Amino acid sequence: MPIHVLPADLAAKIAAGEVIERPASVVKELIENALDAGAHDVRVEVRGGGQRLIRVADDGCGIPAEQAPLAFARHGTSKIESADDLFAIKTLGFRGEALPSIAAVARVTLITRAREETNGTLLKVENSQILTHQPHGAPRGTVVSVEDLFRSIPARLKFLKSPGAEAARIAELVNAYALAYPHVRFSLVNDGRLVFQTPGNARLYDVLIKVLGAETAREMIEIADENESTLSGYTSPPSIHRATRKTQYLFVNGRWIDDRALAHAVVEAYHTLLMVGRFPLFVVDLRVAPDAVDVNVHPTKAHVRFREPGEVYRVVQRAVRRALMANLSVPALGAEFGQGLEPPLPAAQPPERAPDSTTSAGEVNAMGPLPGPVSAPATANTILRPPSMPMLRVLGQIASTYIICEGPDGMYLVDQHAAHERVLYDNWAAASNRDNASQELLQPVTLNLDPTHWAIYEQEQAVLERAGFRIEPFGGQSVLLRAVPGALKHRDPRTALLEIFDATDEGGAPLREDAEARVIKTVCKSAAIKGGQVLSLEEMRALLRDLERSASPRTCPHGRPTMIQLNLAQVEREFGRRG
Ligand code: ADP
Ligand code: MG
């Protein structure tokens, strides 16, 4: 193929690919424009997960009529003039790419009226072409409507998740911006329903209530740096934690950023206070001089580069640690003001490698009573044993996690968690156990769901119900939990349900095929004895007896092994008894 210059609309689509990845990216750019325009009221409306419609209305400065078309020109921006400006950016936008990119992949309608003008303007843009530009009555501010996103790019459409999942991402984003701008009133209407609204009264705590629910917000600990100038926000006490990092918000100069190292600095402040695999919730709002941070390092501006990263991490870690210690020292330790008890802080250095994001959800180390009698009446000798499970004699436990056994051909190590998961799952599958699958709670529990969890709840209600949950809507994104699966009756119902939501959300998409089996597997995982739990000999024997009855005793329902074996021949070789 000879070299040729691509037509403008195709070039525009290619460029759009960097900035506009999914509906939430459109919402992000439009909200940022509204905030840059000085809006105090930002209304977001979404239909069909944002694919059918995204509309963002603001009461900001508006765009003068004759400049409106320029807003859709590539590199059309009112925010910077020279290269010098690039290193002291005070606005969220500056690249002049968002509107042209959106207009390359959707139909856009802009209605705007500038502060100083009496008449408004209407502009329609499609396929990067301005189709209409005419006067139009409008209140001061700007409304941008984006319809049929990616209709002209079927390949992109294929990468989108379900409308519910895309709407959840949008809701996460609106939550984040509401937290970063407590003086701005945000509202989000999803498919005609008002799902989120903040008062815009400049109080971060009031936004926190909307995002986390009053119950959790009340427990959160306020954080600030020593001079209360660089850092403000909230962080969770060690008693509140999640299986994912989703409820961790970092803002730098009002910009929502994704910075693993910085998030890690916060988590490090919990050193020895949190279980492995559990994550604190936090909102950290950093203010630094505009020239102390380079924001021009990423097309969607989600990453930034600090001039002095080590210093920033230190400030964050110290502030969080101080707040945690002040909070802890009150009742728990009985020492005077808890001073001197402070465990040493790990050195505040940016980690060389971002911590592994796939740490599994609170398996290691989690505690709780042994859920229910593990054993049915011991009738082992009358049961036809499937050939895949040898007869095992329990010798003991190591690391409070593995059961050591002697078998017909050497030594076996049984993973107590995986084994119990298998037993619970098989119990479930047995028809006789279905009837009493649900356990009524003495005290129903209210939960304020985050947008992703809400999307899962809405989509999987029926499945959750069949699994034994009884959950009712309770206004806004709250639900009332009335009953849990019987297997979970010894667990804290709130924690257990959230764990199931988190596990269900693993791929970012709520469940699709085989939803019921997946929910039940997750319930079993959540109900099973954890690693790190000391078991009595009798409990271990009972667990193995139950495992023996399974048709597939060698794997847990997720397919991981329940046991490994060191056979006698190997042992003899190791000791040099055999060649
Ligand atoms: P950038 O934000 O990087 O400047 P955009 O493509 O997002 O680029 O927007 C182009 C220009 O259009 C902005 O610089 C601004 O002048 C104007 N604009 C866009 N949205 C709004 C809005 N909601 N209110 C006022 N002006 C806006
Ligand atoms: Mg912009």
Side-chain angles (χ1 to χ4, degrees), residues 500-523:
I500 286 159
F501 279 144
D502 280 336
T504 305
D505 180 40
E506 254 162 20
L511 329 164
R512 270 159 309 216
E513 74 278 18
D514 207 12
E516 185 162 1
R518 267 191 67 183
V519 166
I520 288 168
K521 282 178 195 170
T522 314
V523 169

Side-chain angles (χ1 to χ4, degrees), residues 425-460:
Y425 187 71
D426 284 10
N427 277 348
W428 205 297
S432 60
N433 282 295
R434 280 224 180 112
D435 309 331
N436 53 8
S438 199
Q439 172 82 29
E440 190 96 13
L441 298 176
L442 290 174
Q443 195 87 89
V445 174
T446 53
L447 283 97
N448 190 284
L449 300 184
D450 71 33
T452 312
H453 290 173
W454 176 265
I456 294 170
Y457 161 66
E458 279 203 312
Q459 191 166 323
E460 305 301 347

Side-chain angles (χ1 to χ4, degrees), residues 145-156:
S145 307
V146 177
E147 290 165 279
D148 298 333
L149 181 65
F150 298 142
R151 179 184 271 181
S152 54
I153 313 181
R156 258 287 145 93

Side-chain angles (χ1 to χ4, degrees), residues 330-547:
V330 188
L333 303 171
E336 298 212 341
F337 311 115
Q339 293 297 329
L341 283 169
E342 190 164 329
L345 262 186
Q349 285 302 324
E352 278 161 31
R353 189 173 55 84
D356 181 9
S357 65
T358 55
T359 317
S360 74
E363 257 171 78
V364 188
N365 234 349
M367 282 157 242
L370 195 65
V374 211
S375 172
T379 48
N381 46 5
T382 59
I383 287 173
L384 263 182
R385 189 167 295 114
S388 50
M389 170 90 183
M391 173 88 113
L392 298 180
R393 185 169 68 90
V394 174
L395 299 175
Q397 191 187 25
I398 51 172
S400 310
T401 300
Y402 307 103
I403 304 171
I404 313 179
C405 309
E406 182 183 9
D409 184 28
M411 190 186 85
Y412 292 74
L413 279 182
V414 177
D415 180 322
Q416 64 194 41
H417 172 70
H420 196 207
E421 256 187 282
R422 163 55 66 195
V423 168
L424 290 172
Y425 187 71
D426 284 10
N427 277 348
W428 205 297
S432 60
N433 282 295
R434 280 224 180 112
D435 309 331
N436 53 8
S438 199
Q439 172 82 29
E440 190 96 13
L441 298 176
L442 290 174
Q443 195 87 89
V445 174
T446 53
L447 283 97
N448 190 284
L449 300 184
D450 71 33
T452 312
H453 290 173
W454 176 265
I456 294 170
Y457 161 66
E458 279 203 312
Q459 191 166 323
E460 305 301 347
Q461 267 172 19
V463 169
L464 288 164
E465 195 144 307
R466 278 201 298 281
F469 285 103
R470 250 195 17 256
I471 309 173
E472 293 165 12
F474 201 58
Q477 301 207 22
S478 301
V479 294
L480 193 65
L481 177 58
R482 288 192 176 281
V484 297
L488 291 174
K489 64 178 173 233
H490 295 284
R491 296 281 322 271
D492 170 49
R494 182 190 311 273
T495 315
L497 181 62
L498 290 179
E499 239 171 67
I500 286 159
F501 279 144
D502 280 336
T504 305
D505 180 40
E506 254 162 20
L511 329 164
R512 270 159 309 216
E513 74 278 18
D514 207 12
E516 185 162 1
R518 267 191 67 183
V519 166
I520 288 168
K521 282 178 195 170
T522 314
V523 169
C524 294
K525 184 184 173 76
S526 174
I529 313 165
K530 305 291 191 265
Q533 192 170 328
V534 178
L535 300 181
S536 71
L537 264 182
E538 196 34 58
E539 285 170 324
M540 291 188 274
R541 286 191 193 119
L543 177 57
L544 289 180
R545 276 198 302 270
D546 286 343
L547 190 62

Side-chain angles (χ1 to χ4, degrees), residues 29-39 56-64 67-68 70-80 91-102 110-113 141-144 301:
E29 295 297 336
L30 297 182
I31 287 180
E32 291 192 352
N33 280 348
L35 293 168
D36 282 345
V56 176
D58 69 58
D59 61 350
C61 65
I63 308 174
Q67 288 187 14
L70 273 180
F72 288 91
R74 187 147 300 275
H75 311 305
T77 181
S78 57
K79 298 172 192 175
I80 56 171
T91 49
L92 294 168
F94 57 87
R95 301 167 65 104
E97 283 185 335
L99 291 180
S101 294
I102 297 169
L110 168 85
I111 297 175
T112 184
R113 181 163 72 80
T142 303
V143 184
V144 180
K301 300 159 289 178

Side-chain angles (χ1 to χ4, degrees), residues 25-249:
S25 344
V26 174
V27 178
K28 174 179 193 287
E29 295 297 336
L30 297 182
I31 287 180
E32 291 192 352
N33 280 348
L35 293 168
D36 282 345
H40 287 102
D41 191 355
V42 177
R43 294 160 194 245
V44 182
E45 191 190 334
V46 171
R47 285 190 186 278
Q51 209 181 305
R52 268 178 54 210
L53 172 75
I54 291 168
R55 178 175 292 145
V56 176
D58 69 58
D59 61 350
C61 65
I63 308 174
E66 93 286 352
Q67 288 187 14
L70 273 180
F72 288 91
R74 187 147 300 275
H75 311 305
T77 181
S78 57
K79 298 172 192 175
I80 56 171
E81 279 180 21
S82 68
D84 291 346
D85 295 341
L86 262 186
F87 300 98
I89 287 183
K90 297 191 187 69
T91 49
L92 294 168
F94 57 87
R95 301 167 65 104
E97 283 185 335
L99 291 180
S101 294
I102 297 169
V105 294
R107 291 196 291 133
V108 181
T109 309
L110 168 85
I111 297 175
T112 184
R113 181 163 72 80
R115 206 191 311 260
E116 55 282 2
E117 294 187 348
T118 47
N119 220 334
T121 309
L122 170 105
L123 209 71
K124 277 184 184 290
V125 192
E126 217 176 305
N127 252 327
S128 304
Q129 301 295 313
I130 295 178
L131 303 180
T132 312
H133 179 200
Q134 63 191 43
H136 193 275
R140 186 170 73 80
T142 303
V143 184
V144 180
S145 307
V146 177
E147 290 165 279
D148 298 333
L149 181 65
F150 298 142
R151 179 184 271 181
S152 54
I153 313 181
R156 258 287 145 93
L157 276 182
K158 280 197 209 113
F159 282 99
L160 296 189
K161 305 240 157 75
S162 68
E166 294 295 341
R169 288 209 183 206
I170 291 171
E172 298 282 0
L173 191 100
V174 177
N175 281 358
Y177 278 89
L179 286 166
Y181 294 81
H183 63 281
V184 177
R185 188 182 148 91
F186 280 88
S187 62
L188 172 62
V189 172
N190 185 20
D191 286 329
R193 193 167 145 263
L194 178 68
V195 292
F196 180 75
Q197 187 162 39
T198 60
N201 62 3
R203 291 189 43 180
L204 175 58
Y205 184 73
D206 288 352
V207 184
L208 212 55
I209 291 178
K210 299 290 181 181
V211 173
L212 301 179
E215 223 161 299
T216 306
R218 206 179 303 128
E219 302 289 318
M220 297 289 281
I221 305 167
E222 197 162 1
I223 47 177
D225 63 312
E226 270 124 354
N227 321 315
E228 303 194 354
S229 56
T230 314
L231 181 151
S232 59
Y234 284 87
T235 199
S236 55
S239 55
I240 298 184
H241 40 76
R242 299 273 157 90
T244 71
R245 294 169 214 270
K246 247 186 357 208
T247 325
Q248 304 189 337
Y249 297 95

